[in-house]
Amino acid sequence: MMFQELEAVFDGTALQPEVPLNLAAGTRVRIVVESILPNEVKPPKTFLKTAQSLKLRGEPDWSEKIDQYLYAATLSDND
């Protein structure tokens, strides 16, 4: 059994070795794939996760009186 370690690039269809292989055509091989560069796709953060990570502090009625807090507006009881 012969071992040969090499690097290759995946072109979307096949692995393309960066160096020639010392193998005869038709030789069966076992391939173990290990990514060299992390190509991890991280799930996108949701707005809620982003807001929670900011650890914002506010009044308990903030969502009910957002205009008053943001614009210092005084709203009548009828609004």
Side-chain angles (χ1 to χ4, degrees):
M1 189 179 301
M2 180 186 87
F3 290 96
Q4 185 177 1
E5 186 173 325
L6 60 110
E7 293 184 7
V9 176
F10 183 63
D11 66 8
T13 304
L15 291 169
Q16 301 296 322
E18 294 183 346
V19 296
L21 295 175
N22 186 18
L23 297 171
T27 302
R28 294 185 56 83
V29 297
R30 176 176 290 129
I31 298 173
V32 177
V33 178
E34 175 185 354
S35 294
I36 296 173
L37 298 176
N39 288 332
E40 297 175 12
V41 177
K42 295 181 181 178
K45 276 190 170 181
T46 64
F47 172 77
L48 180 58
K49 291 288 184 190
T50 301
Q52 288 174 334
S53 71
L54 295 175
K55 298 184 186 333
L56 299 173
R57 303 259 184 228
E59 299 295 325
D61 63 351
W62 188 83
S63 63
E64 296 171 8
K65 299 180 179 180
I66 190 168
D67 288 334
Q68 291 175 350
Y69 289 114
L70 292 178
Y71 309 113
T74 304
L75 301 176
S76 67
D77 291 336
N78 294 334
D79 288 346

